[in-house]
Amino acid sequence: MVDWKHTDKNAPIGVFDSGVGGLTVVREIMRQIPNEKIIYFGDTARVPYGSKSKETVTRFSKQIVRFLNTFQVKTIVVACNTASAYALDELERESDIPIIGVVKPGTRAASEVTRNGRVGVIATEATIGSGIYSQYIAELNRDVTVYGKACPLFVPLVEEGLWVDPVTDEIAKRYLTELIDLNIDTLILGCTHYPLIRSTLARIMGEGVTLVNPAYETAMELRKLLSERGLLGDHAPALGENQYQFYVSDMADKFKNFANSIIKYGILSAKTIHIEEY
Amino acid sequence: MVDWKHTDKNAPIGVFDSGVGGLTVVREIMRQIPNEKIIYFGDTARVPYGSKSKETVTRFSKQIVRFLNTFQVKTIVVACNTASAYALDELERESDIPIIGVVKPGTRAASEVTRNGRVGVIATEATIGSGIYSQYIAELNRDVTVYGKACPLFVPLVEEGLWVDPVTDEIAKRYLTELIDLNIDTLILGCTHYPLIRSTLARIMGEGVTLVNPAYETAMELRKLLSERGLLGDHAPALGENQYQFYVSDMADKFKNFANSIIKYGILSAKTIHIEEY
C-alpha cells in the first residue's frame, strides 16, 4: 500500500482531529516544515468531542491511531485539544512511534510569555473539565496560575461562518469578562477552531493580553522532535506526488469546502472511511 | 431479561433521538398516554445528527433499533427529525414492529392548519437538505407549498441554555426573515430542540403564524396507531415498577440533568451503553 516504513524520514506525519479544526494545525505544519507529507483524519461522523466523556474520546482516538498507522506514519499529531487532554497519555503508552498533542506546546509557550503569572485558557467543556492545562503549568512553573473558561458556542459559531459578527462579539464578551476581571496577561486558544476568530478575541481582550495559538507552537515542537530524531523529511515531494491526503468519517464534500477556507493550498479531495471498523 | 413479548400490549415503547431533543417527544407521550412504558435511547456519543450524511445517520439508527429491540418493544418512535428524514423508510422495511417518525405527523398537522397554503419548516441542514417535508406535503395536498430553512445554531443555543436571550433573538431573526418575507402562515418546528425556544419563535413570527410542534402530533399519532392495533397499554404500571428507562451512549449524568429540565417527572438515572456494538 505504501513504499515506506514508519521509521523512514520520508514517511508521512499523521494528524487527526474530531473534525475540521485540526486543519489550523495542518496549516502551521505546511508552513513550518513544507517538505513533509501529511495524512489527515477528521472524525466528522462523531464530531464534536468537546462535550463528550474521557472514555468515549479515548475509544474514538485509539481507532483513529490504528487507522493512521496503516499508512506507516512516522509520528502522530493529536490536533485536537479535547483528545490531547483526555487520550494522549494512553495513546503514547501503546504507541511505537512518537505522538504529540497540542496542549503541552501551548502551555509551554504561555508559561514563557506571561509576565504576571496569570494565564487564561479558553477551550471546550471537556478540555477545561480535565484540568490538564493547570496540571501541565504546575509541572513547568509553580508561579504561574491558569484560569480556565469553557466556551461551548465558539465551535458552532465558527462552523456557521460567523468569524466576524456582532453575535460572536456578544458571546465572546460574555465568556471573556471573567478572564479580563482576573487580570490575565496571556490567553491560550485551547481549541483548534479558535484561531479562526482570533481578531475578535484579541480586540475584546485588549492590547495588554498576548494570545497563544497552540497550532503554531505544536508545529514548532513537531519540527524539533523530528529534527532530534533524524526524522525530518529531506526532499520536497516529487511533482504529482500526493503530499497531503485527507480522510474523514463522513461528509467529505462539506469537509473539503470548509478545508479550502482554512488552507490556501487547495484540497482537491477527501475520502470517507468507516472509522469504527479500526 | 423482560417478562413480555413485543406483541404484548403492555410491552414498552422504544423512543430514540440523537441526544436529548427527543425528550420533548417523550414528554408528550407521557402526557397523552400515561399508561405506557418507555425505553429511551439518546446517542450522546455521536450527537448531533443534523450535520451528518444519510448513510451515517441510517447506520447509526439501525444500531439503535437493534438495541431497542432487545427490550421487546411493541413499537418504535424515531423522535429525531434528521433520522426520520433519512432513515425511516429503511428502518420500516426491515422491521417486524411499527416504526413511526416525527416528520409525517408534523406535515399532516401543518397541511390541515394552513389557510394560505404557504408552510415554513425550520430544521437541521440534513432535514432541510433531504427535501422530505416538501415530498410529504406533495403527497398530502398539492395546493400547499413548503419553504425550508436550515437553522444550525438553534441546537447549540438551546443546549447552552439560552432559551430566552437576546443572542437567540438575533439569530432567530436572521433565520426567520426569509420565511416571514415569504408570507407563510404556518411554521413546523422541524427539530426536537425547537419547542424549547417556542416563545422566541412565536414572538418573531408574529400572531398570524401558527407554530406546529411535531412532538405533540407524533404522540397523537402514536396513540392512534396503538389503539387501532389493540396495543394500547391497559393498566398503569405497578408501584415501584420502572416505567421510564433512559439509555445513552455517553455522558449519562449530563443527560440526566438536561432531561430533568425538560421532563418534570424526575429522571432518577440514565445508563451508558456502547451503541456501536449493536
Side-chain angles (χ1 to χ4, degrees), chain B residues 56-196:
Chain B
T56 293
V57 170
T58 303
R59 194 168 75 247
F60 291 173
S61 299
K62 284 182 178 179
Q63 290 170 336
I64 298 169
V65 166
R66 285 192 284 271
F67 169 70
L68 290 173
N69 279 328
T70 64
F71 294 89
Q72 298 288 319
V73 292
K74 63 184 174 187
T75 184
I76 289 175
V77 179
V78 185
C80 168
N81 283 264
T82 302
S84 298
Y86 274 162
L88 187 62
D89 283 354
E90 210 167 317
L91 297 178
E92 276 186 310
R93 251 200 315 278
E94 296 180 1
S95 178
D96 297 331
I97 56 168
I99 303 194
I100 67 172
V102 287
V103 173
K104 262 184 198 157
T107 313
R108 193 169 303 124
S111 77
E112 285 162 11
V113 161
T114 182
R115 293 173 180 239
N116 71 0
R118 305 172 75 83
V119 170
V121 57
I122 53 176
T124 63
E125 287 172 273
T127 303
I128 296 300
S130 75
I132 191 135
Y133 276 95
S134 301
Q135 183 194 319
Y136 282 168
I137 281 277
E139 288 166 14
L140 284 171
N141 186 343
R142 296 216 152 262
D143 296 330
V144 177
T145 307
V146 170
Y147 302 96
K149 177 70 184 170
C151 303
L153 281 171
F154 280 165
V155 168
L157 288 168
V158 166
E159 298 212 341
E160 182 70 343
L162 307 185
W163 299 6
V164 178
D165 191 281
V167 165
T168 305
D169 267 30
E170 168 61 23
I171 293 293
K173 277 177 198 155
R174 294 188 195 181
Y175 285 146
L176 299 177
T177 301
E178 197 177 311
L179 296 175
I180 293 169
D181 291 347
L182 284 163
N183 193 31
I184 61 164
D185 72 351
T186 306
L187 179 66
I188 302 173
L189 310 184
C191 169
T192 51
H193 280 70
Y194 299 175
L196 302 171

Side-chain angles (χ1 to χ4, degrees), chain B residues 212-250:
Chain B
V212 170
N213 178 0
Y216 177 84
E217 309 298 333
T218 302
M220 295 251 290
E221 176 134 332
L222 174 65
R223 184 198 186 115
K224 191 163 155 266
L225 174 105
L226 294 176
S227 171
E228 282 168 3
R229 303 205 178 197
L231 283 173
L232 269 176
D234 64 359
H235 63 76
L239 199 68
E241 191 180 352
N242 205 352
Q243 188 177 4
Y244 304 125
Q245 290 184 55
F246 298 88
Y247 293 85
V248 290
S249 46
D250 199 18

Side-chain angles (χ1 to χ4, degrees), chain A residues 3-248:
Chain A
D3 57 359
W4 56 76
K5 288 186 208 153
H6 68 82
T7 47
D8 287 355
K9 61 174 112 175
N10 289 308
I13 296 160
V15 181
F16 79 88
D17 178 47
S18 58
V20 295
L23 292 169
T24 61
V25 178
V26 168
R27 182 170 64 178
E28 291 298 336
I29 298 172
M30 289 172 169
R31 278 181 192 156
Q32 295 187 32
I33 31 180
N35 282 349
E36 300 297 333
K37 289 197 279 283
I38 296 174
I39 310 285
Y40 182 88
F41 178 78
D43 198 0
T44 48
R46 304 185 294 197
V47 70
Y49 285 3
S51 52
K52 291 161 193 174
S53 72
K54 177 170 184 159
E55 191 260 329
T56 292
V57 170
T58 303
R59 195 167 75 246
F60 291 172
S61 299
K62 285 183 178 180
Q63 291 170 337
I64 297 168
V65 166
R66 284 192 285 270
F67 169 70
L68 290 173
N69 279 329
T70 65
F71 294 89
Q72 298 288 319
V73 292
K74 63 185 173 186
T75 184
I76 288 175
V77 179
V78 185
C80 168
N81 283 264
T82 302
S84 298
Y86 275 161
L88 187 62
D89 283 353
E90 211 167 318
L91 297 178
E92 275 186 310
R93 251 199 316 275
E94 297 179 1
S95 179
D96 297 330
I97 57 170
I99 303 193
I100 67 170
V102 288
V103 172
K104 262 184 198 156
T107 312
R108 192 170 303 123
S111 76
E112 285 161 12
V113 162
T114 182
R115 293 172 180 239
N116 71 1
R118 304 172 76 81
V119 170
V121 56
I122 53 176
T124 63
E125 287 173 273
T127 303
I128 297 300
S130 76
I132 191 134
Y133 277 95
S134 302
Q135 182 193 320
Y136 282 168
I137 282 275
E139 288 166 14
L140 285 171
N141 186 342
R142 296 219 150 260
D143 296 330
V144 177
T145 307
V146 170
Y147 302 96
K149 176 71 184 171
C151 305
L153 281 170
F154 281 165
V155 169
L157 288 168
V158 167
E159 299 214 339
E160 182 71 342
L162 307 186
W163 300 4
V164 179
D165 191 281
V167 165
T168 305
D169 268 30
E170 168 62 23
I171 293 293
K173 278 177 198 156
R174 293 188 196 181
Y175 286 145
L176 300 176
T177 300
E178 196 177 312
L179 296 175
I180 293 170
D181 292 348
L182 284 163
N183 193 31
I184 61 165
D185 73 351
T186 306
L187 179 66
I188 302 173
L189 310 186
C191 169
T192 51
H193 280 71
Y194 300 174
L196 302 172
I197 51 169
R198 189 186 179 110
S199 65
T200 300
L201 301 172
R203 181 165 32 78
I204 291 170
M205 292 311 296
E207 281 187 4
V209 177
T210 306
L211 304 193
V212 170
N213 178 0
Y216 178 84
E217 308 299 335
T218 301
M220 296 252 291
E221 175 132 334
L222 174 65
R223 181 194 189 118
K224 190 162 157 266
L225 174 104
L226 294 176
S227 172
E228 283 169 3
R229 302 203 178 198
L231 283 173
L232 268 178
D234 63 1
H235 62 76
L239 199 67
E241 192 181 351
N242 205 351
Q243 187 177 6
Y244 304 125
Q245 291 183 55
F246 299 88
Y247 293 85
V248 289

